Amino acid sequence: MPKVTYIAHNGKTTTVDVPNKHSVMEGAVKNGIDGIVAECGGACMCATCHVYVDPAWLDKLEPIAEDQEEMLGVTAAERKPNSRLSCQIVMRPEYDGLVVLMPDRQT
Ligand code: FES
């Protein structure tokens, strides 16, 4: 099962297994990892699952779809080039080892 490492804003690092076809957001919520709120439950309608993807992984991810692009425009924390919505990153074997950082706030 692929692993994802979540780095909280305070530096706390947690690595968990996230099954293929589950989102990075789901991996955080199911493992009780703070820093991802996910108000809309993964429907790409809230932007409270905002993460900063480790730059080393950016090229490996799917391009940002239009609905995600729209929601990235309303994140609570600053949007950066490596900003993504974690509900829109769906795990696959190649994502094993993915690292994401959580912003200082989601709302
Ligand atoms: Fe709401 Fe990702 S959980 S946009």
Side-chain angles (χ1 to χ4, degrees):
M1 207 181 294
K3 290 189 186 309
V4 178
T5 295
Y6 300 84
I7 305 175
H9 189 66
N10 66 7
K12 185 181 174 200
T13 300
T14 311
T15 299
V16 296
D17 292 320
V18 182
N20 289 318
K21 301 192 175 149
H22 286 217
S23 72
V24 170
M25 175 278 281
E26 290 174 293
V29 171
K30 287 184 179 152
N31 288 285
I33 295 170
D34 289 337
I36 291 179
V37 177
E39 265 170 15
C40 78
C44 199
M45 292 177 68
C46 72
T48 63
C49 64
H50 179 203
V51 293
Y52 300 122
V53 173
D54 182 316
W57 283 91
L58 271 186
D59 289 350
K60 301 182 177 90
L61 300 182
E62 293 285 314
I64 299 173
E66 202 176 311
D67 52 351
Q68 181 180 181
E69 182 64 43
E70 238 171 72
M71 292 313 299
L72 283 170
V74 296
T75 53
E78 178 193 359
R79 179 183 178 175
K80 299 180 182 176
N82 59 339
S83 287
R84 295 290 185 277
L85 297 181
S86 58
C87 70
Q88 301 301 303
I89 306 173
V90 178
M91 291 307 291
R92 51 172 79 172
E94 311 89 272
Y95 291 176
D96 182 31
L98 179 67
V99 179
V100 296
L101 290 83
M102 269 83 84
D104 61 346
R105 63 190 187 284
Q106 294 286 7
T107 56

